Amino acid sequence: MQVFHPAQTTNGLPPENVFLVADSANVTVAEGYLVQTYHPYLFPERPVNIYLSVYSKGPGLDMLLGALLARAVQLRQQTPNLKARVFAQVGMQDAAMLSFYRESGFIADDALDVVRVYAPNAKPSAPMGYEMGLVPLQKQLEQTAFLMRMNTYRLDALQLPMLQRYMSMPHFIALYVSRGPEIVGEAAFTGAGDTARLFGLYVMPNYRRLGIAKTLIAAGMNLLSERGVTNFEADVIRRNVPQCRLAQSCRATFIRTACLYPGINFD
């Protein structure tokens, strides 16, 4: 078997970050890729995160992972002053892949948990000197700009088709808080029936610890409660300390673990 790069860009990824494994008959039997992101807001102590994805029906997986990890080390060396982490996503039912990563040196010390949240102790209105309103999302340009702002603070980038799907649901709502011309924070909910999910939330670094996140959550919950929503859910990354603290302030209760993020820390 041999490992090689594709001849051209694949799904927007540079060829050097995409790896294929072919067998002796030159049939591709495994493929994988890396996506490097810089998240000083999500993980200030380890801001460089390299997402690793592999796919194989069996053969070539070890060879593929070895090539991807070697490339991850190269990417990590581009920013030697910053701590980094390479990680993968594993479904809760995929014991085989979790075992594969663990045997390859990955530690299963991070996950995405789904929690039930309750209204925080905050006024559902903008603080003095700030304004609050619904994010304008009628035009595609507005939707794209909203995604760019949100994705700066997300581990997994939200794509336009998914946003439009969320917008088509009965309980979609997106709120902003601004100070003068500057948007300082946004929150977005979606859902149907009696349940809504907080799928996006951020506050600009210079405006944190002022209660703006709680205000956005409280305002969104207030509006959706008027539509009959009684259950509110949110995703929390275990490794993200501010997210965990915010969830605690909303008296979060654990529902389930959505997926695991096994990884290797590069120091």
Side-chain angles (χ1 to χ4, degrees), residues 93-188:
Q93 311 303 319
D94 200 345
M97 281 307 294
L98 180 60
S99 176
F100 168 73
Y101 282 119
R102 277 180 160 160
E103 290 169 3
S104 303
F106 286 63
I107 307 297
D109 59 353
D110 194 16
L112 186 70
D113 292 325
V114 181
V115 298
R116 179 167 286 114
V117 291
Y118 301 87
N121 183 21
K123 287 184 178 180
S125 55
M128 188 174 295
Y130 294 79
E131 290 185 9
M132 177 184 287
L134 294 173
V135 180
L137 293 170
Q138 298 304 311
K139 301 172 184 175
Q140 187 166 319
L141 195 62
E142 293 170 334
Q143 296 170 17
T144 302
F146 175 67
L147 284 176
M148 286 181 66
R149 295 192 300 271
M150 275 283 177
N151 285 337
T152 302
Y153 305 94
R154 288 178 64 94
L155 183 59
D156 58 325
L158 194 62
Q159 304 296 332
L160 187 59
M162 183 59 74
L163 173 63
Q164 291 172 340
R165 181 180 157 202
Y166 286 161
M167 290 175 64
S168 71
M169 298 178 76
H171 298 326
F172 175 83
I173 191 169
L175 295 167
Y176 73 86
V177 168
S178 64
R179 186 162 194 178
E182 185 177 24
I183 295 175
V184 303
E186 292 174 291

Side-chain angles (χ1 to χ4, degrees), residues 52 61-62 65-66 69 84-88 90 96-110 261-266:
L52 178 151
L61 209 49
D62 288 324
L65 183 62
L69 287 175
R85 175 182 173 89
V86 59
F87 75 100
V90 179
M97 281 307 294
L98 180 60
S99 176
F100 168 73
Y101 282 119
R102 277 180 160 160
E103 290 169 3
S104 303
F106 286 63
I107 307 297
D109 59 353
D110 194 16
Y261 292 136
I264 298 173
N265 291 337
F266 293 145

Side-chain angles (χ1 to χ4, degrees), residues 124 132 171 173-175 187 189 196 198 214-227 229 232:
M132 177 184 287
H171 298 326
I173 191 169
L175 295 167
F189 296 80
L198 176 65
K214 292 180 188 176
T215 292
L216 283 162
I217 294 172
M221 286 185 169
N222 204 39
L223 289 168
L224 290 169
S225 295
E226 295 172 1
R227 301 184 191 177
V229 176
F232 292 91

Side-chain angles (χ1 to χ4, degrees), residues 240-261:
N240 185 306
V241 176
Q243 273 188 17
C244 293
R245 287 178 181 159
L246 182 59
Q248 289 170 359
S249 73
C250 297
R251 294 168 290 142
T253 56
F254 177 81
I255 298 175
R256 68 182 181 278
T257 299
C259 64
L260 301 171
Y261 292 136

Side-chain angles (χ1 to χ4, degrees), residues 32-86:
Y33 62 86
L34 297 171
V35 177
Q36 182 177 17
T37 56
Y38 178 61
H39 282 300
Y41 313 112
L42 284 179
F43 309 113
E45 77 293 346
R46 200 169 291 279
V48 176
N49 285 261
I50 304 168
Y51 174 67
L52 178 151
S53 176
V54 298
Y55 173 76
S56 171
K57 293 179 180 177
L61 209 49
D62 288 324
M63 187 180 287
L64 175 65
L65 183 62
L68 287 164
L69 287 175
R71 175 59 180 158
V73 170
Q74 288 180 339
L75 290 173
R76 185 262 175 282
Q77 289 170 345
Q78 293 174 3
T79 53
N81 299 327
L82 299 173
K83 290 187 175 181
R85 175 182 173 89
V86 59

